[in-house]
Amino acid sequence: MHETKIPFGERDGILFRAHEVENGLRCGCVCPGCQQPLNAANNGEKVIPHFRHAKSNDCFDGFREGVRRAAVALIAQHKQLMLPALIETVRVATQGGRLLEKKIELQPVVTTADSVERFVDLDGLRCHAVLHQSDRQLIIRIKLSARTEYERYRQLEALEHSSMEIALHNLTLEQINDPASFERAVLYDPATRRWIRSMRGEKLMAIVGEKLESLASELNAQWHFEQLKREVAEKARQLALDEEKAKLQLALDEHRAHQLQKASEQPPIDQDNTVKGRAALIAGTMLKAVQAWGAKAIECSACHLLSPPESQFCLYCDSQTSKVNQVVLSPDIIWTLGKRMRCSAKPEMSVKAAPQLIVRPDIELV
């Protein structure tokens, strides 16, 4: 909007459009903002009728003041207008991390007032119109600037009354000059209005909020119960793990003592801890597994020697990384043990992981 083109001129306290009065200074109108004389431009074929200041000045209030007063006059004349739509979502989070949501939606509806006050001061705040209906009040702000007035909104939200804004700053001079278009924009167009504060909406949100809070309380109680069950189960599981760990440690301690006892009973012979020597030991335990243990055994992940299948730990080394795995050997493996060891990495890995064996295997070397 070009604010030097003023859509309304004032004469004897009444607002007129330019096409409603004589051309030029004969219009007898003054600016609604600064009260200085206006020229009516209403004879042009290409220019929309409008007013201009008769003398150049710095007034930019004529446009806004005229449109605002004309809008308020329409509201006071009809005593009704379309209320904005309201769409809000109430959200309540549960302690279990669930988000409860409920949408509140009020459709645009026409309301009729018992009376309308124009340009009222409430707590130092200028309200362009106040609609009275029974014991309720609705405050109207006419917006004629794209600028967001945060402080005014904050002040309006602090009042215990519903308030709404009618935004007319996007209207063209053609729309303002057309009485029907202007009336629709002021009174009925859903696109030009929004709530600043809706008391009805807040009451609905409070009711919905209470219901969601009640549901959240039930879910929280259930969650606490389930959480307690989980904690009890976790404690029981941890106790079982601790008991199992203690049993395993006791068994390992007994196993180590048995290893040392068995090692003390073996004749003192220097161990061949070379890769070749370790390969012979691994092959010997594999041969014994086939011949004496039904081709079943457990293999140490550290030294790779085989122990009887019922063993819980490796009989030969005390490596901290030792774990045992069940293995089943092919009976005909005895014919290829030598070749297998020559092309296997296990003997070298065995020497690195368990350089010294606690107990020497009681086997025939291959």
Side-chain angles (χ1 to χ4, degrees):
M1 297 182 298
H2 200 288
E3 296 192 358
T4 59
K5 294 181 178 180
I6 303 172
F8 294 98
E10 182 181 353
R11 187 172 67 194
D12 299 328
I14 302 174
L15 295 177
F16 295 91
R17 290 179 172 86
H19 65 80
E20 296 174 335
V21 296
E22 295 185 63
N23 193 42
L25 285 173
R26 294 194 305 274
C27 68
C29 295
V30 297
C31 173
C34 65
Q35 297 297 304
Q36 296 300 309
L38 295 176
N39 263 320
N42 56 22
N43 281 342
E45 295 181 359
K46 296 183 179 180
V47 178
I48 300 171
H50 63 277
F51 293 96
R52 281 201 184 97
H53 287 95
K55 293 183 180 180
S56 178
N57 61 24
D58 296 329
C59 172
F60 289 98
D61 292 333
F63 185 97
R64 299 181 187 180
E65 191 64 23
V67 173
R68 182 175 288 119
R69 284 175 54 186
V72 171
L74 273 176
I75 296 172
Q77 175 189 348
H78 292 271
K79 293 183 182 179
Q80 67 172 210
L81 76 166
M82 179 79 74
L83 299 181
L86 177 70
I87 300 177
E88 295 286 351
T89 302
V90 181
R91 296 181 176 88
V92 175
T94 68
Q95 294 177 342
R98 181 177 172 183
L99 187 64
L100 306 178
E101 293 186 343
K102 178 70 175 180
K103 181 181 285 188
I104 295 174
E105 187 169 355
L106 297 177
Q107 297 297 327
V109 62
V110 175
T111 186
T112 300
D114 298 329
S115 62
V116 177
E117 287 186 273
R118 308 187 194 188
F119 301 103
V120 180
D121 287 331
L122 291 178
D123 296 338
L125 180 66
R126 192 191 191 205
C127 305
H128 299 143
V130 178
L131 277 65
H132 297 271
Q133 188 180 55
S134 299
D135 58 343
R136 294 174 296 171
Q137 295 182 11
L138 174 61
I139 299 171
I140 309 295
R141 287 279 306 176
I142 307 297
K143 182 179 180 181
L144 287 164
S145 170
R147 179 170 53 90
T148 304
E149 300 177 303
Y150 294 105
E151 180 58 26
R152 293 191 187 277
Y153 297 155
R154 187 191 65 79
Q155 291 176 307
L156 285 168
E157 288 168 356
L159 299 176
E160 293 299 318
H161 302 291
S162 294
S163 53
M164 59 175 281
E165 176 181 81
I166 301 176
L168 304 179
H169 59 286
N170 288 324
L171 295 184
T172 64
L173 194 58
E174 290 173 303
Q175 290 173 303
I176 296 171
N177 264 338
D178 179 17
S181 296
F182 186 65
E183 180 177 310
R184 181 179 186 281
V186 173
L187 299 181
Y188 305 113
D189 188 355
T192 62
R193 61 208 62 230
R194 73 172 189 88
W195 287 108
I196 298 174
R197 183 176 187 183
S198 170
M199 302 301 291
R200 183 188 174 198
E202 290 178 12
K203 288 179 180 178
L204 287 176
M205 290 178 67
I207 293 171
V208 171
E210 289 178 1
K211 292 181 179 179
L212 291 183
E213 288 288 355
S214 177
L215 177 58
S217 296
E218 295 177 10
L219 294 175
N220 287 339
Q222 182 180 352
W223 179 84
H224 278 295
F225 178 72
E226 296 295 334
Q227 182 71 4
L228 183 60
K229 286 174 59 178
R230 287 191 291 268
E231 290 175 359
V232 171
E234 177 59 24
K235 287 181 180 179
R237 189 185 71 85
Q238 193 60 49
L239 283 174
L241 288 176
D242 291 342
E243 289 179 4
E244 186 66 26
K245 186 177 180 181
K247 289 179 181 179
L248 184 63
Q249 186 60 48
L250 181 61
L252 182 60
D253 292 342
E254 292 177 353
H255 172 70
R256 293 285 183 244
H258 179 70
Q259 277 185 307
L260 294 176
Q261 177 65 29
K262 191 168 183 178
S264 67
E265 296 172 355
Q266 290 183 331
I269 300 175
D270 291 338
Q271 293 187 24
D272 182 1
N273 291 326
T274 63
V275 172
K276 183 177 179 181
R278 190 60 60 86
L281 292 177
I282 294 173
T285 59
M286 295 174 73
L287 178 61
K288 190 168 185 177
V290 173
Q291 294 176 340
W293 304 333
K296 297 180 180 180
I298 62 166
E299 180 182 18
C300 175
S301 64
C303 69
H304 293 285
L305 296 176
L306 302 187
S307 299
E310 69 275 6
S311 302
Q312 188 177 6
F313 306 103
C314 176
L315 299 182
Y316 314 111
C317 76
D318 62 351
S319 172
Q320 297 298 317
T321 62
S322 173
K323 294 181 180 179
V324 293
N325 304 301
Q326 293 283 346
V327 295
V328 178
L329 305 176
S330 173
D332 62 1
I333 198 174
I334 59 177
W335 310 112
T336 59
L337 281 176
K339 292 181 180 180
R340 284 176 179 270
M341 288 300 101
R342 283 194 294 272
C343 63
S344 174
K346 288 184 177 180
E348 184 177 357
M349 294 164 61
S350 175
V351 172
K352 288 183 179 180
Q356 191 74 21
L357 299 177
I358 303 300
V359 178
R360 296 189 306 277
D362 182 14
I363 55 173
E364 294 182 12
L365 295 181
V366 178

